[in-house]
Amino acid sequence: MKRIFHTGSPEESRKTGILLGSTLHPGDVVVFTGDLGAGKTTFVGGIASGMGHTDRVTSPTFTIVNEYREPENIPPLFHFDMYRISSSEDLYAIGWDDYLREGGVCAVEWSENVEDAIPEDAIIIDITCGPGDDDRTITIDDRRG
Ligand code: ADP
Ligand code: MG
């Protein structure tokens, strides 16, 4: 099912992320397309809150993956940024299969760089900018069964 949201501020995008985050289950994969500064990391911050995570979400651009494992009574969130990764081989090299099996939620920015590693039932989110500076169109294609 495809849903389209129009937001006019980072807070609104975050809230949209919270709504989705509160519906996620262990093993769900959420992948993002959209340019630098579109709001992918902002949205993942909302997902984290919606799942019950309290740590602040920051961009994993330089670390490739940030792991949110606290509190322990909720599924962990694994937040990937594939900006610097050019093929899915690199993703498997950092343990993608293990992350998928661990029973967390995986959120993947720049998923277009690792397309062939993305499961078929992933939730696909595209964020586009404009017309105003703070306007965003967030398209959520939820392919969970
Ligand atoms: P990305 O991860 O896609 O590179 P970020 O979430 O890191 O993007 O940054 C988005 C930037 O755009 C932030 O500086 C944020 O304040 C700004 N912004 C402005 N309007 C919005 C909006 N409607 N939704 C999300 N971010 C917005
Ligand atoms: Mg980002």
Side-chain angles (χ1 to χ4, degrees):
M1 183 184 55
K2 241 183 210 181
R3 283 167 302 169
I4 300 179
F5 298 86
H6 296 281
T7 69
S9 68
E11 294 71 31
E12 274 185 66
S13 291
R14 204 182 136 77
K15 276 185 192 155
T16 310
I18 291 175
L19 285 178
L20 179 67
S22 64
T23 74
L24 294 175
H25 297 104
D28 284 346
V29 177
V30 186
V31 306
F32 292 85
T33 55
D35 290 335
L36 206 60
K40 301 180 291 296
T41 298
T42 302
F43 193 98
V44 174
I47 286 180
S49 288
M51 291 175 64
H53 288 281
T54 49
D55 284 350
R56 199 170 78 90
V57 167
T58 55
S59 178
T61 305
F62 297 97
T63 50
I64 313 289
V65 57
N66 284 344
E67 304 183 3
Y68 299 89
R69 294 179 179 278
E70 310 266 325
E72 274 176 21
N73 60 328
I74 59 170
L77 171 65
F78 305 124
H79 179 197
F80 297 79
D81 189 330
M82 300 291 109
Y83 186 63
R84 281 157 199 285
I85 279 201
S86 53
S87 80
S88 43
E89 277 163 48
D90 298 341
L91 180 58
Y92 287 113
I94 63 164
W96 179 233
D97 278 332
D98 296 328
Y99 283 109
L100 287 178
R101 272 195 295 262
E102 204 187 307
V105 167
C106 291
V108 185
E109 299 190 34
W110 294 97
S111 58
E112 49 270 66
N113 290 354
V114 292
E115 233 163 37
D116 45 332
I118 301 302
E120 266 175 26
D121 59 353
I123 299 164
I124 303 176
I125 302 184
D126 179 65
I127 309 179
T128 55
C129 301
D133 281 354
D134 292 348
D135 293 332
R136 301 288 189 272
T137 301
I138 302 174
T139 305
I140 302 181
D141 185 6
D142 194 339
R143 304 181 299 171
R144 289 175 293 177

